[in-house]
Amino acid sequence: MNVRVRELLKGIDEMDPCVRPVRTRRRPLVVAAVLCAAAAAGGGCSGAASTGEAGTGPSGRLPAYDVNPTPRERVRSGGTLRWPLPEFPTQWNFFHVNGGTGVVDRVVQGLLPYLMRADEKAVPHPVPDYLLSARATRTGANQVVTYRMNPRARWSDGRPIGYRDLAAQAHALSGRDPRYQVSTDVGYRQIRRVERGADDQEVRVTFAGTYADWRSLFSPLYPAAATSDPAAFNTGWLDRMPVTAGPFKVQRIDRTAETVTAVRDPAWWGRAAKLDRIVYRALDSGAVPGAFANGEIDLMDVGVDAGALRRAERAPGTVVRRAGGPDWRHFTFNAAGPVLSDVRVRRAVMLGIDRRTLVRSDLTGLGLTAEPLGNHFYVNTQEGYRDNSGEYGGYDPARARRMLDEAGWPPHGRYREKGGRTLALRFVVPAGVPGGKREGELSRALLERIGVRLDIRPVPGDDLLARYVTPGDFDIVPFSWLGTSFPVSPLRSVFARPSGGRIRQNYSRSGTAAIDAALDRAIAEPDPVRARRLVNAADGLIWRHATVLPLYQRPQLVATRRGLANLGACGFYQPGYENIGFTRG
Amino acid sequence: MAVFLARRLAYSAVLAVLGASLTYVLAATALRPRAGFETRTPRPPEAVVHAELRRLNLDDRVPLAVRYRTWAAGVVHGDLGHTRQDGPVGAELRRRAGVSVRLLLPGTVLGCALGVLLGAYAAARRGRAADRAIVAGSALLPAVPVFVLAVLLQFAAGKVNDVTGMRIFEWTGESSPGAGGPADRVRHLLLPTVTIALSQVALYCRYQRGLMLDVLSAEHMRTARAKGLRRRRVLLRHGLRVALVPMTAYSAYAFGLMLVGAAFTEKVFGWHGLGEWLVESIGHGDVNAVAAVGSLAAGTVLLAGLVSDVVRGVLDPRTRTAEVAAAPTTAAP
């Protein structure tokens, strides 16, 4: 009666493996808070449902974000926002191997420069407080990005933000100096050199070849003092944040109460922060509902738990914000298994599973309707999304039966048989997590209609990946991938063919040369529009290869105090923390 | 008494070393700190993971004996190693032990005192309505999991806040951020204290009632009554005092275990104490932290044994004679 209960409380896919980008949100496996903030610049948020009651848009699609967008003049100046964190970090250097979590990201977004921030459709834009412009050009085979920094931007120690900081960060994260304990060298590894332009505020970054996701770099940006010396990089941000440059500055880090207090920084050169103070507070998921109900925190992630939603709604003065999140749930098929190695059987199973039923069952009681997801890279609210499911996305048991007949699995009693072997599949779920088990039971009933037996195997949650999925001891496994604003390069390791016994995260253990080539073309394409087209081409191939069946985009439900403005369920949106506040009256 | 205590102390020290070592070996064998790095995407560079695990003495490719020697050498010098997040374990342990004691002490003392009184009262009223009510209550309460009890109390307290329109109860953490005066701290302690007291009172009550009933039928009680002492005086001076002796042993052990085992209370009320740390550290594969909490648990239980021996010696003069001291001295739960 210990860890397992916590997972029950947390809901559906506690044990999700994660795919995440270099930039947006990172979190360790066990931290399941998808509480992400979004703030809209004054008044420019026409796409969002602002009432909070309207859960879905006209076509049954979830809105891309739902953050109560409010122009700055209608946001009261002052107030304290109390914001829960799922854990309390020690290492505040996001790029250190111990610091690369979503929690660190959430806190430093109000304190450090982000050269680019994503909008609600996951399209990155320069943040003018730090970056006036960024332009990508080519010299020969190499891509050159010219950054024009804001000359007013300064660190809290008085130094201007510019060439030295970018150069030092690029060097520290390049992976060439082993003394830096970096969380990743993706992107920075491709940087060949960083040069000073006309002045310190103009920076020219030259890549070796093309790096299409260059917009993900330098967000956040740490000061040169933190990145020019390995000792400062590894230990200088332990339990402290010595230098900041944002609308807020750190007032206090309290290890005993596990709180970080950030206050409005008078030295901030942009539009002044509306809030006086943000108090981030580490709270266990068991403490969050009670704290919210009693008004001791101002917002909480509801997850996809209808019970938690009802409890949150009962608290007086609560508004629940709903939006489509970046994460997506799916079934992965083990295409190296004895039965599913035949693509015809995989396609038949896809056709035999009614995704609409599964979606309705998983998301029942949440006050929203969602559609099955038709893409392996983009979710429904993301720029570039297209439904590529084609002929394999619908529910067609008659056709599924025909396909199984053709594949040589004739019916024999209740189930199909071939050479004395029954058509049975192992459906592996983490024990004690209700969502996966329910999906298994529904799928068992659906697949029985086409003569396929599904054996649900609950396994200890901690063992799911290590003992079952990675070694290939399963036929179908349900879980979620964490989506990102830059999905293609991280998802390459999920769909690329295993080589030399290394499957990386391709748990289906299968791929094709055509998919690999299509992915490589998409990754190397610097033009975002053309890149999205190439991604969708690759996605079509993956649908036909039938190794991963996407179910739905996971919704974000965030309960907030009424009047909280420019923050809520944000989807991909990355906030300007200076605009968060409480409305007047 | 001194020789007896010295012998107990030496015995406890050996046990503590053994307990701590076993905890470390168990944690280092069962937990996989590497998994936390492997499940991240993009996965940190192999060399970085290797260097980090090696530096924190968490590398499963290093033989267990070598890792144990490194850890033990550190512990001998007062260094409990570093957490997965690179914080010093010792400082975190002290901080969290303080939090746990502040959270648990009032509730445990209250629960213990109430439990003893109720138990003694029930025993004195054996078979009557009051006794039956107390027995029924003390059977029901332990059947309610602590986190259910805590959530129910929070629910009720929230209702009181709503109805009165005042913020009488607050229960998240030790204090409100930014406030933190003594009154605010006391207010934050109310609900956790009631929760802990309720979860403890039933156990103490049942135990005390049983002890008391044994004592009541003892010969010296009858003798005392026969000599003409009043019933109340007999109950308190000769009954309760005797029945309290094994109780001290029980309560010392109970508090020692409670200190590292109150994970649910800590989690539900947002206190960052030892229990929460232990559960989190097991989840993160944080070997050094688990070993530290385990060692502390071993230490506290043995210390509790020692304390109970001393208290028993004070309360019960017979213990100081050699032949009784050789008998089992404690009633471990």
Side-chain angles (χ1 to χ4, degrees):
Chain A
M1 194 186 76
N2 42 37
V3 188
R4 189 63 55 222
V5 177
R6 202 170 133 226
E7 282 163 14
L8 272 171
L9 294 172
K10 274 195 179 171
I12 181 162
D13 47 18
E14 174 82 8
M15 296 316 297
D16 283 354
C18 333
V19 162
R20 49 178 87 74
V22 184
R23 174 158 81 110
T24 34
R25 302 165 315 125
R26 254 175 255 190
R27 62 202 186 207
L29 198 64
V30 282
V31 179
V34 194
L35 194 77
C36 162
C45 309
S46 52
S50 59
T51 57
E53 279 90 33
T56 51
S59 62
R61 258 166 69 152
L62 284 161
Y65 70 148
D66 180 11
V67 297
N68 187 21
T70 311
R72 279 178 60 89
E73 59 271 19
R74 286 188 35 228
V75 178
R76 183 159 57 86
S77 189
T80 298
L81 176 70
R82 296 156 305 168
W83 198 345
L85 303 176
E87 61 173 4
F88 198 73
T90 306
Q91 173 61 266
W92 292 99
N93 180 354
F94 181 70
F95 295 112
H96 188 273
V97 66
N98 291 325
T101 64
V103 176
V104 174
D105 187 39
R106 187 188 301 171
V107 174
V108 300
Q109 274 193 45
L111 303 167
L112 288 175
Y114 276 63
L115 299 199
M116 298 263 180
R117 281 201 291 250
D119 66 11
E120 75 279 11
K121 291 182 168 175
V123 180
H125 300 282
V127 180
D129 292 323
Y130 303 109
L131 178 66
L132 298 181
S133 67
R135 207 158 37 85
T137 51
R138 301 190 73 76
T139 42
N142 297 328
Q143 172 184 307
V144 178
V145 178
T146 308
Y147 293 92
R148 183 80 234 166
M149 306 294 289
N150 187 336
R152 295 172 62 206
R154 283 187 190 275
W155 297 105
S156 54
D157 61 9
R159 296 184 193 188
I161 299 174
Y163 158 71
R164 287 175 60 248
D165 306 302
L166 274 77
Q169 181 154 325
H171 170 72
L173 302 181
S174 66
R176 284 189 277 276
D177 187 339
R179 292 173 300 164
Y180 291 96
Q181 298 282 303
V182 297
S183 61
T184 173
D185 54 11
V186 172
Y188 295 95
R189 194 180 48 219
Q190 277 95 319
I191 294 179
R192 183 167 283 172
R193 59 178 178 272
V194 180
E195 293 159 304
R196 189 175 173 274
D199 55 27
D200 268 351
Q201 271 63 53
E202 190 177 291
V203 189
R204 285 163 52 82
V205 177
T206 308
F207 292 83
T210 309
Y211 182 60
D213 284 346
W214 61 271
R215 290 176 186 81
S216 68
L217 304 178
F218 303 113
S219 302
L221 176 68
Y222 279 75
T227 47
S228 53
D229 168 43
F233 183 88
N234 294 335
T235 59
W237 290 64
L238 278 174
D239 274 331
R240 59 202 191 102
M241 294 179 248
V243 181
T244 58
F248 292 90
K249 62 177 180 179
V250 182
Q251 187 186 46
R252 181 146 191 256
I253 299 177
D254 184 339
R255 290 280 317 161
T256 307
E258 302 204 335
T259 56
V260 178
T261 309
V263 292
R264 187 190 293 127
D265 189 350
W268 170 243
W269 55 93
R271 295 181 295 182
K274 286 291 182 184
L275 291 167
D276 288 337
R277 177 182 310 112
I278 303 178
V279 179
Y280 302 94
R281 176 172 210 175
L283 282 182
D284 184 79
S285 56
V288 168
F292 182 78
N294 198 37
E296 296 186 58
I297 52 175
D298 293 310
L299 69 167
M300 66 172 265
D301 183 20
V302 175
V304 288
D305 178 352
L309 175 67
R310 278 196 299 278
R311 189 173 174 197
E313 277 174 333
R314 265 205 302 270
T318 301
V319 184
V320 177
R321 312 264 168 216
R322 294 175 173 87
D327 308 340
W328 52 283
R329 189 146 181 97
H330 71 275
F331 288 170
T332 283
F333 298 155
N334 179 5
V339 179
L340 291 179
S341 51
D342 185 342
V343 68
R344 291 171 298 182
V345 180
R346 292 202 299 273
R347 288 172 180 167
V349 170
M350 277 192 172
L351 289 171
I353 293 176
D354 184 2
R355 297 192 296 156
R356 283 183 190 282
T357 306
L358 290 181
V359 175
R360 260 206 309 278
S361 150
D362 273 1
L363 303 181
T364 186
L366 297 177
L368 45 85
T369 52
E371 295 181 335
L373 185 66
N375 201 300
H376 293 85
F377 295 92
Y378 301 122
V379 289
N380 220 328
T381 54
Q382 197 165 4
E383 188 70 39
Y385 174 82
R386 209 174 68 192
D387 188 341
N388 296 314
S389 59
E391 50 180 327
Y392 302 114
Y395 175 55
D396 191 346
R399 187 160 163 237
R401 276 191 284 268
R402 278 203 306 280
M403 287 171 86
L404 288 173
D405 289 340
E406 285 162 21
W409 290 92
H412 194 272
R414 263 168 92 191
Y415 302 110
R416 291 164 185 274
E417 272 185 23
K418 176 162 146 183
R421 184 191 181 107
T422 307
L423 181 41
L425 302 172
R426 296 159 294 172
F427 188 90
V428 182
V429 289
V433 181
K437 183 143 183 289
R438 203 170 49 225
E439 286 159 358
E441 281 160 0
L442 278 171
S443 303
R444 180 167 61 193
L446 289 163
L447 288 176
E448 190 154 331
R449 297 183 192 168
I450 61 167
V452 176
R453 195 179 83 207
L454 198 66
D455 301 325
I456 301 171
R457 283 216 192 151
V459 303
D462 298 340
D463 291 345
L464 180 68
L465 267 185
R467 294 251 176 92
Y468 294 89
V469 177
T470 309
D473 186 12
F474 73 102
D475 289 307
I476 303 179
V477 61
F479 62 100
S480 301
W481 287 113
L482 301 188
T484 73
S485 301
F486 302 91
V488 189
S489 22
L491 281 170
R492 192 188 186 284
S493 67
V494 175
F495 296 113
R497 260 183 317 174
S499 64
R502 289 192 61 211
I503 60 161
R504 294 169 203 257
Q505 287 176 302
N506 188 345
Y507 300 123
S508 71
R509 318 172 90 77
S510 171
T512 67
I515 293 174
D516 287 3
L519 283 171
D520 288 337
R521 271 198 302 278
I523 286 170
E525 175 54 60
D527 177 62
V529 178
R530 276 203 299 273
R532 285 182 203 116
R533 208 175 301 139
L534 291 169
V535 171
N536 278 314
D539 184 45
L541 296 176
I542 293 168
W543 271 104
R544 276 196 288 288
H545 195 51
T547 49
V548 172
L549 177 65
L551 296 179
Y552 56 89
Q553 172 185 19
R554 274 171 54 93
Q556 278 182 351
L557 277 80
V558 178
T560 69
R561 195 83 42 231
R562 188 179 299 282
L564 181 62
N566 299 326
L567 187 65
C570 71
F572 288 98
Y573 206 91
Q574 290 185 299
Y577 278 31
E578 66 273 21
N579 299 321
I580 302 173
F582 295 94
T583 48
R584 291 175 195 282
Chain B
M1 181 82 177
V3 177
F4 163 70
L5 272 183
R7 216 171 52 212
R8 289 283 299 173
L9 203 62
Y11 178 62
S12 297
V14 172
L15 273 184
V17 169
L18 216 74
S21 302
L22 281 176
T23 313
Y24 180 82
V25 170
L26 185 67
T29 321
L31 301 179
R32 292 191 65 237
R34 187 181 294 275
F37 295 111
E38 282 175 348
T39 47
R40 284 212 229 145
T41 308
R43 193 182 283 190
E46 193 59 38
V48 171
V49 173
H50 185 73
E52 191 68 10
L53 290 174
R54 183 61 66 90
R55 195 172 63 80
L56 298 172
N57 192 31
L58 295 173
D59 191 347
D60 47 12
R61 288 171 198 166
V62 172
L64 181 59
V66 176
R67 275 181 284 156
Y68 172 73
R69 262 206 306 279
T70 312
W71 176 78
V75 171
V76 169
H77 294 102
D79 176 12
L80 292 170
H82 282 71
T83 63
R84 266 276 319 273
Q85 280 234 330
D86 206 10
V89 168
E92 186 74 13
L93 188 72
R94 276 193 295 280
R95 199 159 37 228
R96 292 205 177 241
V99 171
S100 285
V101 169
R102 287 197 293 278
L103 173 71
L104 297 169
L105 201 56
T108 313
V109 169
L110 191 71
C112 178
L114 269 177
V116 166
L117 287 178
L118 278 176
Y121 179 75
R125 291 257 176 283
R126 183 183 188 177
R128 299 199 211 159
D131 179 37
R132 280 206 297 274
I134 290 171
V135 168
S138 65
L140 185 72
L141 265 180
V144 183
V146 175
F147 63 90
V148 173
L149 191 65
V151 169
L152 287 176
L153 281 173
Q154 289 184 357
F155 201 71
K159 276 270 176 289
V160 172
N161 279 352
D162 290 347
V163 168
T164 56
M166 288 187 296
R167 303 187 50 76
I168 301 168
F169 294 105
E170 287 203 5
W171 56 74
T172 306
E174 280 194 71
S175 59
S176 313
D184 184 61
R185 282 177 174 271
V186 169
R187 186 161 64 145
H188 277 82
L189 257 177
L190 287 177
L191 236 46
T193 301
V194 174
T195 308
I196 296 159
L198 280 179
S199 66
Q200 296 285 298
V201 73
L203 299 175
Y204 284 106
C205 171
R206 288 175 75 84
Y207 195 50
Q208 180 68 30
R209 181 175 174 276
L211 290 170
M212 197 72 180
L213 286 178
D214 285 349
V215 173
L216 288 182
S217 57
E219 284 175 8
H220 73 270
M221 296 288 286
R222 248 178 304 159
T223 317
R225 283 283 278 165
K227 282 172 133 183
L229 282 178
R230 295 237 303 278
R231 181 175 143 84
R232 169 184 285 270
R233 192 172 163 77
V234 171
L235 276 178
L236 291 180
R237 282 295 298 271
H238 300 275
L240 190 58
R241 182 168 170 183
V242 173
L244 270 179
V245 175
M247 197 59 173
T248 52
Y250 174 73
S251 52
Y253 277 109
F255 187 71
L257 287 173
M258 180 96 177
L259 200 60
V260 294
F264 280 110
T265 315
E266 289 171 4
K267 279 162 171 284
V268 169
F269 289 107
W271 289 54
H272 305 292
L274 290 169
E276 182 200 56
W277 197 35
L278 178 64
V279 173
E280 273 178 7
S281 300
I282 291 172
H284 292 159
D286 203 337
V287 176
N288 292 334
V290 173
V293 179
S295 307
L296 183 75
T300 15
V301 168
L302 290 166
L303 192 73
L306 211 62
V307 168
S308 78
D309 282 348
V310 172
V311 175
R312 187 186 164 90
V314 171
L315 283 176
D316 185 354
R318 285 174 306 169
T319 327
R320 278 164 263 177
T321 63
E323 73 272 4
V324 182
T329 48
T330 48

